[in-house]
Each structure stands twice: as C-alpha cells, then as structure tokens.
Amino acid sequence: HDLNGTINNLSTRPGSKAQMKLEGAVDEYGLARFAGDLAPFAPTDYLNITATFRNVELTSMTPYSAKFAGYRIASGKLDADLEYVIQQRQLKGDNKIIVDQLTLGERVESPDAVNLPLELGIALLKDADGKIDLGLPVSGNLDDPQFSIGGIVWKALVNVVKKIVTAPFRALGALLGVGAEELEGVDFDPGSDTLLPPEKAKLGKVASALEKRPQLKLGIRPVYATQDADAIRSFRVRREIAKRVGFKLKEGEDPGPLDVTDPKNQDAIRTLFAERFSPDELAKVRDDAEKAASADGKPLTPEAKEQMRAQIAETLLGKLEAKEQVTDEELKALAQRRADAIAQEFAAQGKLPAERIVIQPVEKVDAADKKMIESKFAVVPQ
C-alpha cells in the first residue's frame, strides 16, 4: 500500500524503454522498492527490474504457506533482493532472500502442500542467529504453457529444501568445508565398543557443525552387525586358549591372533575341542586331514606333517568359534555401549550439550564387505 514514485519515457515507439522507480509499504513496518527499465508496451521483449523488500512480516503470507507448504506461519520477517530480466520472452531471475526467526505454526490440510519434512529443512537452513539466507536463481520460457513465475520460484525453493533434508550432513559439512563422510557417523572395530582416536576427531567436527545450527539435535543410532558376533566368538575362543597356554590376561584383554603352528597352541586347541565336542569328533577331524594329506600315497615329509598339524588346528579353531554362542541381547548391549561411548565423548569434549543428543533405538545393520561397523548419525529438529 501507499505505492508512489515515477515512471518516465512512456512511449509506443518501437524499441523505447521506460524507467521506473517506485516505493511502497508492506503491512505496518515493511518496505518495498522497485527500480529498473522495460519496454512499456512489449515487456515480454525487454524488462530489467529489481525489487527490494525489507522487514516484511511473514505471518501475512500464511495463505500461501498454508496452501503450498501445509503450515501456517507463526512468526518471522523477510528481506529480499530480487532481480528479473526478460529478453525475447526468456526469463532469468535471481532471488536473494533472508528469512529471520521463521517459526511454523499449526499444520493445515491442503491438497497442494508439498510432502517434505519442513521442520527439519528449516532447522538445517537456520544459522546460529536464526536466519535463513537463500539464493534462488530461476529461469524460464514465457511461451511455455506451464510457465508461472510463482511456480518457478516455489519449485526452486522446494528443490533446495529437498536437497538439504535428503543429505543433511553434506549441508553441515559445507559449513566447515569438510566432506559429509566426516560427519555422518563413526566406525567401530567388529565386536568392540572402543571409540578410536580418528573417530573422536570426527565427533569434534560434528559438534562444531551443530554449533552453527542450534535448532538441531543429533540422533545416535546404536548398531550391530553379523561381523560383531563373529568377532566376539573369535575373541572368546582365542582368550580361552591363551589362558590355557599360560598367558596372564586382564579383564577384557584381547590376546591377539593365535599361531596355529605353535605346538602349545595346537595342544590347547585339541584339548578344548575334545571337551566341547568329543574325543571321537577330534579323531575324525584328524583322520580326515591325514587321509587328505596322504592321498597321493607318498609318505609325509616332516614339513608336510607340520603343515597338516597346523591345518588341523585351524579347522578345530574354526569349529570352536562357530559353536560359540552369542545372543541377540549381547549384540544389542554392544550396540548400546557404542552409543553411550559416543555420547560420553561428546560430553568429554564439552561442545555438544547432552540435551541436544538423542540415542535412538538399537538397529542391526548390513556391514557386509566392510572392515568396520559404522554407527550413523541423524539430525532432528529441536
């Protein structure tokens, strides 16, 4: 309202251009300014206009947000610098938009509303001061039957939100100049809940990114995989054999890999196998190995006998590990300890408050062909 200003050089002469400079008010405290030039009687042939909006109250845009976004607007202010050029019915536009303290209101049912997690999108876009700074270039052909400037701008905005909510850590990484892979999660060794030093460094970057987006919480997904069960089975059998050959191990200490060529380890493996299976099963494994080694009818050399004994020990070890029982409850507890370790490290670094961390339900993941088990993160709006 209260629009006033000047438009000069209005003429029907072909090729003539009119200059304009207008200013008006938006609601009570908003400002709108327009400037530029255009062909007054053929604006689709030539137009070059800039529009400036300042301190526009967003609540007045609720009719649009309700229709296209499915939400009322509870509060927020808009500043915008728009520049539109038309030459020979080809449009190029640039929209620089700053939204300050945008808060969505209640949901509104609308068949035209886009199906997007807008709360998350807004939380990702807001900086530490509560501002959203967007650049939305647009273009189009005025001869296109589907052409609509509102539709073009809305499509550009939807694409921005869709891109950011489908790859939130790429957006957060851009704030720090790091790749999404450095923020998406941390890796654990199979069967372990120990947070490795490089993964601790990742958590520092995650916390720094979230400092810039205070409207977000971090979801930690406690995970486990089939490889965890395999690693636990191996750990238990190796630990039992190491104790039997005389190693003094601390609680939870990993004895490391077993040397199946060591006679002491071979004796311990055979003894444990006979206890957990049977002497007859042990004899069968040994007989099968001897038959295979002597298949050519030639006597075994000392080296061949040593190799056969190592192969027997390897076979027995594999059977012992396969028989070791690891329950789902143990694996879920491992996953929970991993999530707790991540939360504790965040607390130790002092960058991410506990109230901004959400530990999500335990999940089994497919980590086939991977050496490590990745506990992924998620972001959720406050």
Side-chain angles (χ1 to χ4, degrees), residues 354-371:
E355 58 269 20
R356 292 187 64 191
I357 296 174
V358 179
I359 296 183
Q360 299 177 327
V362 172
E363 179 183 352
K364 183 179 181 180
V365 296
D366 182 6
D369 303 323
K370 296 181 180 178
K371 294 181 179 179

Side-chain angles (χ1 to χ4, degrees), residues 1 50 125 180 191 251 320 342 347 355 381:
H1 58 86
T50 61
L125 289 167
E251 181 69 27
L320 284 166
I342 294 170
E355 58 269 20

Side-chain angles (χ1 to χ4, degrees), residues 203-265:
L203 298 186
K205 294 177 182 178
V206 172
S208 295
L210 290 175
E211 279 182 332
K212 298 179 181 293
R213 291 294 183 263
Q215 296 81 14
L216 291 173
K217 288 185 177 182
L218 182 73
I220 301 174
R221 296 176 181 171
V223 299
Y224 69 94
T226 301
Q227 291 94 316
D228 288 317
D230 295 338
I232 292 171
R233 293 186 187 99
S234 175
F235 168 79
R236 289 176 179 173
V237 173
R238 288 183 290 106
R239 185 175 170 85
E240 178 62 27
I241 292 169
K243 289 194 295 185
R244 290 183 179 228
V245 297
F247 281 97
K248 303 297 183 182
L249 299 173
K250 297 178 182 178
E251 181 69 27
E253 182 180 356
D254 192 321
L258 284 179
D259 180 6
V260 294
T261 66
D262 187 322
K264 288 183 179 180
N265 286 340

Side-chain angles (χ1 to χ4, degrees), residues 14 31 58 65 107 139 151 218 234-235 264 274 289 301:
L31 171 70
L58 284 174
S65 68
R107 287 192 66 97
S139 61
L218 182 73
S234 175
F235 168 79
K264 288 183 179 180
T301 64

Side-chain angles (χ1 to χ4, degrees), residues 222-224 228-229 232 236 325-338 362 364:
V223 299
Y224 69 94
D228 288 317
I232 292 171
R236 289 176 179 173
Q325 295 297 310
V326 179
T327 66
D328 284 346
E329 287 69 25
E330 290 177 277
L331 294 171
K332 290 176 181 178
L334 170 64
Q336 194 65 52
R337 292 197 302 274
R338 285 170 169 166
V362 172
K364 183 179 181 180

Side-chain angles (χ1 to χ4, degrees), residues 8 47 81 114 135 158 174 193 200 202 219 224 234 259 264 267 270 302 315 322 326 332 335 368:
N8 296 327
L47 176 147
D81 291 293
V114 63
V158 168
D193 57 17
K200 292 181 180 181
K202 285 184 183 180
Y224 69 94
S234 175
D259 180 6
K264 288 183 179 180
D267 288 342
R270 286 194 296 268
T315 299
V326 179
K332 290 176 181 178

Side-chain angles (χ1 to χ4, degrees), residues 126-317:
K126 277 186 180 180
D127 65 16
D129 296 322
K131 291 185 177 181
I132 297 174
D133 192 340
L134 291 175
L136 296 175
V138 295
S139 61
N141 183 342
L142 273 62
D143 291 324
D144 185 344
Q146 303 299 318
F147 177 83
S148 161
I149 186 61
I152 290 175
V153 174
W154 178 244
K155 183 178 179 180
L157 179 60
V158 168
N159 286 341
V160 168
V161 176
K162 187 179 295 184
K163 184 177 181 180
I164 200 171
V165 297
T166 53
F169 289 101
R170 184 183 302 166
L172 291 174
L175 297 175
L176 302 179
V178 300
E181 66 279 359
E182 295 190 61
L183 305 177
E184 288 179 330
V186 294
D187 292 330
F188 289 90
D189 286 318
S192 173
D193 57 17
T194 299
L195 198 55
L196 301 173
E199 307 310 304
K200 292 181 180 181
K202 285 184 183 180
L203 298 186
K205 294 177 182 178
V206 172
S208 295
L210 290 175
E211 279 182 332
K212 298 179 181 293
R213 291 294 183 263
Q215 296 81 14
L216 291 173
K217 288 185 177 182
L218 182 73
I220 301 174
R221 296 176 181 171
V223 299
Y224 69 94
T226 301
Q227 291 94 316
D228 288 317
D230 295 338
I232 292 171
R233 293 186 187 99
S234 175
F235 168 79
R236 289 176 179 173
V237 173
R238 288 183 290 106
R239 185 175 170 85
E240 178 62 27
I241 292 169
K243 289 194 295 185
R244 290 183 179 228
V245 297
F247 281 97
K248 303 297 183 182
L249 299 173
K250 297 178 182 178
E251 181 69 27
E253 182 180 356
D254 192 321
L258 284 179
D259 180 6
V260 294
T261 66
D262 187 322
K264 288 183 179 180
N265 286 340
Q266 291 174 0
D267 288 342
I269 291 170
R270 286 194 296 268
T271 301
L272 183 61
F273 187 88
E275 292 174 2
R276 295 190 175 179
F277 287 82
S278 71
D280 290 341
E281 185 68 19
L282 173 61
K284 183 179 183 303
V285 172
R286 186 168 50 226
D287 291 343
D288 290 344
E290 289 175 351
K291 288 177 183 178
S294 305
D296 58 4
K298 296 179 181 179
L300 297 179
T301 64
E303 292 80 7
K305 289 181 180 179
E306 287 183 10
Q307 185 178 6
M308 182 187 69
R309 285 193 287 269
Q311 289 174 344
I312 291 172
E314 191 75 50
T315 299
L316 298 175
L317 191 61

